[in-house]
Amino acid sequence: MGVDGTVPGGGLVQLVEARPDEYSGFARRLQRAFTDAAVHELGVDPDEPIPSDEDVWQTLREPGAEVLHVVREDRVVGGVVVSIDEHTQLNSLDFFFVDGDQQGRGTGVLAWRAVEARYPETRVWTTFTPYFERRNIHFYVNRCGFAIVEFFHPGHPDPHDHRASPGDSQDGDGTDHMFRFEKVMSPQRCR
């Protein structure tokens, strides 16, 4: 793959900054992608947005957050929200989604590579995903090179009380069942 996000026969994936007036549409698409997964895996109410409006908007407005459209072949096909710490370069992937019709076509991997290329100074990436998101776990570990470094559950709650989403807790105690992933980047170059 070239630095510009191209692969032979795979098209071009670009990251384009979302304008604040586009955040509402971005949030709805993000919630649709996350809700579809929760409905499929857990049978939750499809009318209950996941993550909550409050969680999405809080993340989009965080200082240092960058909201990016994933564009493939001149069409918006997903989105990314990252938080970049210019001082430490310990950065977080807060939200990452690919529209349903783009899943299984390599779009997510191409988008992740574009994220790595956009932020080459990153020392460590961190992200979270609910325990039931088997596709996400496969994607982050097997396709993107992340490692699972922690599992939060009632016996080991997240000390930072990472954003809760309906359906994350099977026992209704309010504790998320979440994996924390890290990817330590090579100091020379992204993979």
Side-chain angles (χ1 to χ4, degrees):
M1 181 180 106
V3 175
D4 63 353
T6 59
V7 294
L12 175 67
V13 170
Q14 298 173 312
L15 301 174
V16 177
E17 289 184 41
R19 298 182 319 267
D21 66 324
E22 297 174 314
Y23 285 7
S24 288
F26 184 98
R28 282 191 305 275
R29 290 176 58 245
L30 180 152
Q31 288 174 317
R32 186 176 321 117
F34 280 55
T35 301
D36 288 351
V39 167
H40 181 262
E41 292 294 328
L42 300 174
V44 299
D45 179 359
D47 296 326
E48 180 77 25
I50 300 173
S52 71
D53 291 335
E54 179 183 340
D55 288 340
V56 172
W57 283 100
Q58 179 180 342
T59 302
L60 296 179
R61 293 180 177 140
E62 279 289 319
E66 295 187 27
V67 181
L68 306 163
H69 294 296
V70 173
V71 178
R72 185 172 190 176
E73 299 168 1
D74 298 322
R75 183 176 149 227
V76 175
V77 295
V80 179
V81 181
V82 295
S83 294
I84 305 300
D85 186 321
E86 295 291 338
H87 179 70
T88 65
Q89 288 299 324
L90 303 176
N91 299 329
S92 66
L93 175 63
D94 299 323
F95 286 121
F96 184 38
F97 70 96
V98 173
D99 294 340
D101 67 338
Q102 289 293 305
Q103 293 180 4
R105 298 183 57 213
T107 302
V109 172
L110 293 173
W112 176 248
R113 290 179 183 164
V115 169
E116 288 183 351
R118 184 179 177 103
Y119 305 101
E121 301 301 316
T122 299
R123 292 178 41 225
V124 178
W125 283 104
T126 300
T127 196
F128 296 81
T129 201
Y131 74 97
F132 67 84
E133 285 281 11
R134 290 176 288 185
R135 284 181 61 128
N136 285 1
I137 296 164
H138 163 73
F139 175 77
Y140 288 124
V141 173
N142 299 322
R143 303 287 298 181
C144 297
F146 280 80
I148 297 171
V149 295
E150 199 162 14
F151 176 58
F152 299 113
H153 58 86
H156 182 71
D158 183 345
H160 301 103
D161 195 28
H162 188 69
R163 75 182 142 262
S165 295
D168 288 350
S169 177
Q170 284 292 305
D171 29 3
D173 64 2
T175 304
D176 289 340
H177 290 84
M178 301 282 284
F179 287 107
R180 181 170 66 91
F181 298 84
E182 284 187 355
K183 181 172 184 179
V184 177
M185 302 301 292
S186 165
Q188 293 85 13
R189 186 159 195 270
C190 300
R191 292 184 354 162

